[in-house]
C-alpha cells in the first residue's frame, strides 16, 4: 500500500507543484481529490482483506 501511495505521489507531483505555484485554489482541490482517492483505495484494500483472510 505504501509503495502505491509513493507511486501516486511521484506521478502527480509535477501537477501538484504547478498548481501550488500558479493556482492555490486548484492546488487545494487536487489535494482534496487525492485524499478522497486514497481513502477509497484504503477502504477497498481493507474490504479485500476481509474476503482473502489477510491480516
Amino acid at each position: 500500500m505504501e509503495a502505491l501511495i509513493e507511486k501516486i505521489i511521484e506521478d502527480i507531483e509535477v501537477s501538484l507543484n504547478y498548481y501550488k505555484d500558479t493556482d492555490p485554489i486548484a492546488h487545494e482541490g487536487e489535494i482534496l481529490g487525492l485524499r478522497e482517492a486514497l481513502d477509497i483505495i484504503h477502504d477497498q484494500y481493507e474490504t479485500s482483506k476481509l474476503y482473502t483472510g489477510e491480516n
Side-chain angles (χ1 to χ4, degrees), residues 21-32:
D21 294 338
T22 60
D23 189 345
I25 294 171
H27 179 258
E28 185 64 26
E30 290 285 318
I31 295 296
L32 291 174

Side-chain angles (χ1 to χ4, degrees), residues 1 4 14 21 23 25 31 38-40 44 46 54-55:
M1 187 67 163
L4 175 61
V14 171
D21 294 338
D23 189 345
I25 294 171
I31 295 296
L38 290 174
D39 285 345
I40 292 168
Q44 291 296 319
E46 292 298 319
E54 291 181 35
N55 292 326

Side-chain angles (χ1 to χ4, degrees), residues 12-24 26-27 30:
I12 65 169
E13 189 171 23
V14 171
S15 174
L16 288 177
N17 286 335
Y18 171 78
Y19 285 123
K20 183 178 181 180
D21 294 338
T22 60
D23 189 345
H27 179 258
E30 290 285 318

